[in-house]
Structures are given as C-alpha cells and as structure tokens.
C-alpha cells in the first residue's frame, strides 16, 4: 500500500480536521488561561507569610507535578463521576473535563514559573515603591509584575506550545480533537500514513504560528537601550587641535605635555 497524496490532501482540507484543530486550540487556550490564573495564586501563596496557605500550595504543586496529565484526565472522566454524582449530569462533557484536567496539571508548573519570575525582581524595587507610599497591591501590579512578565514570557510560551500537544491526551476521554479525528479516520479506512500525516501538518502549522507570536511578544517586552554609534577614532574634526610645527595635536594632550615641562 503506497502513500495516496489525494487522500492526504482531502484530509488536510477536510472539515473534520479543521474542527479537530479548532477544538484542540480551544482546549489549549482555556486551559492555559486557567493555569496562569491558578498558578499566580499558588505563587503568591508560596511566597506569602501564611504558613497554612504556603503548605497547601506546596502540596498542590508537588502533587500535580508528580501525577501524569493522562492519569489526571482519566481520574476526572472515569473516577470523578463514580464519587461525585454531579459529574454524572449531561453538562459534564469531555471538553470540560479536558480543560479542567489540563489546567490543574499546568497550574503547578506555571506556579513555579511565576514564582521564579517574581523573585528575579530586585527587592529594592518594592522597598522603593513602598517608601513612596504605594500600597502592597499597587506595588505588586505596578512594579513587580511588569518586570516579572518579561522573565516569564519565554517559559510560558514554551508551556503553551506543549499544552497544544497535550490536548492529544484528551483522546482517551472521547474528546474529538485533532488526534482523535485522525484515529477515527484510520479506524475506518486503515490509511495510517495519510491521516497521521494530515494531523502532523496541522500540529506543525499551529506550533509554527505560536512560535512566531512568542518571538514577537518577547521583542515587545525586551528592555534594551538603543545602540549608540561610536565615532571613529580617525574622525577628529570635532576635537580642538593646535598646530605645533606642522603636526596637529589635540589641545588636551598639549596642555598635559606643557604641565610636565
């Protein structure tokens, strides 16, 4: 059986793959937003003075960094309805379970990213702001966070790109995302190469676009001073000189020489 280019192109531009790609991106975006919000709260808790909140946050980070994301999805979709009757209702869909599971897992990693980014800001910045009369909340959102964002953007972008690929794990809970769409096509046609190649093209395009957006965002928050053009040592037209015997020398050097004498 050879690779059929026509089947491959049909699947690349098919509505089923477009819907699967849109579903994967939707799950990734919602999960990442929820993970950033929850991770920010966890980071504040780990850096706070409340021992109870600090312990709870550290246990959460330890737990969800240790449990695989696939296991979290299986627990939410298969075990949670067994223990909690509310999850047996029709509102609890594979899409919602995937968003919750991936967000809970990613929040543990985002908490560490945000914490390290905030701790990279010099403490003197916050002390100076407090000395000016700013409240702690204002110091956090107007002084610390704007500087921490620049540090957190690269790892956060990498995590979001990984999140797009993690959405393929939701195929185990019957979410018809991109990989599930390819698997369903394979189960009926047994054209493995064409369908998996079409899914590969979609992942390559999505990740490439995200990498471009990440690079632009990093340049947007890059703090650099404009490079000043250094004047060439040959160009001495602006330096005052005095003619000494036909040889032009800078006035500063002549005054220095006169002082030695």
């Amino acid at each position: 059986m050879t690779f059929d280019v026509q089947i491959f192109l049909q699947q690349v531009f098919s509505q089923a793959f477009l819907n699967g790609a849109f579903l994967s991106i939707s799950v990734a975006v919602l999960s990442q937003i929820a993970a950033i919000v929850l991770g920010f709260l966890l980071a504040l808790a780990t850096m706070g003075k409340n021992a109870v909140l600090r312990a709870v946050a550290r246990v959460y980070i330890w737990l969800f960094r240790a449990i695989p994301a696939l296991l979290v999805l299986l627990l939410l979709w298969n075990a949670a309805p067994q223990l909690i009757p509310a999850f047996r209702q029709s509102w609890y869909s594979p899409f919602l379970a995937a968003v919750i599971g991936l967000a809970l897992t990613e929040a543990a990693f985002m908490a560490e990213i945000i914490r390290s980014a905030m701790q990279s800001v010099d403490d003197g910045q916050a002390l100076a702001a407090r000395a000016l009369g700013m409240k702690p909340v204002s110091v956090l959102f107007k002084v610390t966070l704007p500087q921490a964002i620049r540090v957190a953007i690269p790892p956060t972008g990498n995590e979001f790109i990984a999140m797009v690929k993690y959405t393929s794990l939701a195929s185990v809970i019957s979410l018809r995302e991109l990989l599930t769409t390819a698997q369903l096509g394979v189960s009926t046609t047994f054209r493995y190469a064409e369908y998996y190649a079409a899914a590969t093209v979609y992942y390559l395009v999505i990740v490439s676009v995200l990498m471009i957006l990440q690079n632009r965002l990093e340049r947007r928050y890059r703090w650099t001073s404009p490079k000043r053009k250094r004047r060439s040592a040959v160009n001495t037209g602006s330096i005052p000189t005095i003619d000494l015997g036909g040889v032009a020398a800078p006035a500063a050097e002549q005054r220095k020489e006169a002082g030695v004498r």
Side-chain angles (χ1 to χ4, degrees):
M1 184 180 295
T2 60
F3 186 87
D4 194 327
V5 178
Q6 184 177 359
I7 295 177
F8 166 72
L9 294 177
Q10 287 177 352
Q11 299 310 312
V12 168
F13 297 102
S14 66
Q15 189 63 38
F17 269 89
L18 289 175
N19 293 338
F22 177 77
L23 194 59
S24 296
I25 295 174
S26 300
V27 171
V29 170
L30 294 176
S31 300
Q32 190 66 34
I33 292 175
I36 291 174
V37 174
L38 183 56
F40 175 68
L41 297 177
L42 290 171
L44 292 181
T46 55
M47 298 170 60
K49 298 180 180 180
N50 191 312
V52 176
L53 291 178
R54 189 165 59 248
V56 171
R58 288 177 177 175
V59 170
Y60 179 96
I61 294 172
W62 163 75
L63 182 65
F64 282 95
R65 290 181 70 182
I67 301 177
L70 180 60
L71 180 57
V72 174
L73 293 176
L74 292 174
L75 288 173
L76 286 174
W77 184 245
N78 296 325
Q82 178 183 349
L83 302 176
I84 305 174
F87 288 160
R88 302 172 191 170
Q89 305 299 323
S90 59
W91 62 267
Y92 191 60
S93 61
F95 179 84
L96 185 59
V99 171
I100 294 174
L102 293 177
L104 291 176
T105 303
E106 183 64 21
F109 297 94
M110 287 305 307
E112 291 297 286
I113 292 174
I114 296 173
R115 178 189 59 80
S116 60
M118 294 177 63
Q119 289 181 342
S120 67
V121 180
D122 195 339
D123 293 338
Q125 302 275 343
L127 293 175
R130 292 297 303 275
L132 294 174
M134 296 179 65
K135 296 181 179 180
V137 177
S138 299
V139 173
L140 175 64
F141 287 97
K142 294 183 179 181
V143 177
T144 304
L145 279 183
Q147 300 181 66
I149 288 175
R150 181 176 63 90
V151 180
I153 284 177
T156 302
N158 294 335
E159 288 294 319
F160 182 58
I161 291 174
M163 177 67 73
V164 174
K165 296 183 291 184
Y166 290 156
T167 57
S168 62
L169 299 176
S171 60
V172 300
I173 60 174
S174 304
L175 181 66
R176 195 164 182 173
E177 41 74 50
L178 189 55
L179 182 59
T180 307
T181 302
Q183 290 176 339
L184 290 175
V186 168
S187 64
T188 57
T189 62
F190 297 100
R191 307 293 301 195
Y192 296 93
E194 291 83 357
Y195 279 83
Y196 288 147
T200 301
V201 169
Y202 272 91
Y203 281 116
L204 289 174
V205 171
I206 293 172
V207 172
S208 298
V209 172
L210 293 178
M211 291 176 64
I212 294 173
L213 294 177
Q214 178 184 350
N215 290 333
R216 291 186 177 181
L217 191 60
E218 289 180 10
R219 288 198 300 266
R220 170 65 178 81
Y221 282 91
R222 185 178 300 166
W223 296 345
T224 57
S225 301
K227 295 181 178 180
R228 298 181 178 178
K229 296 182 179 180
R230 297 181 178 179
R231 295 182 178 179
S232 176
V234 179
N235 184 14
T236 58
S238 59
I239 302 177
T241 59
I242 300 176
D243 190 5
L244 291 179
V247 179
E253 295 183 4
Q254 296 180 26
R255 285 194 295 268
K256 182 178 179 182
E257 184 180 356
V260 174
R261 293 176 182 177

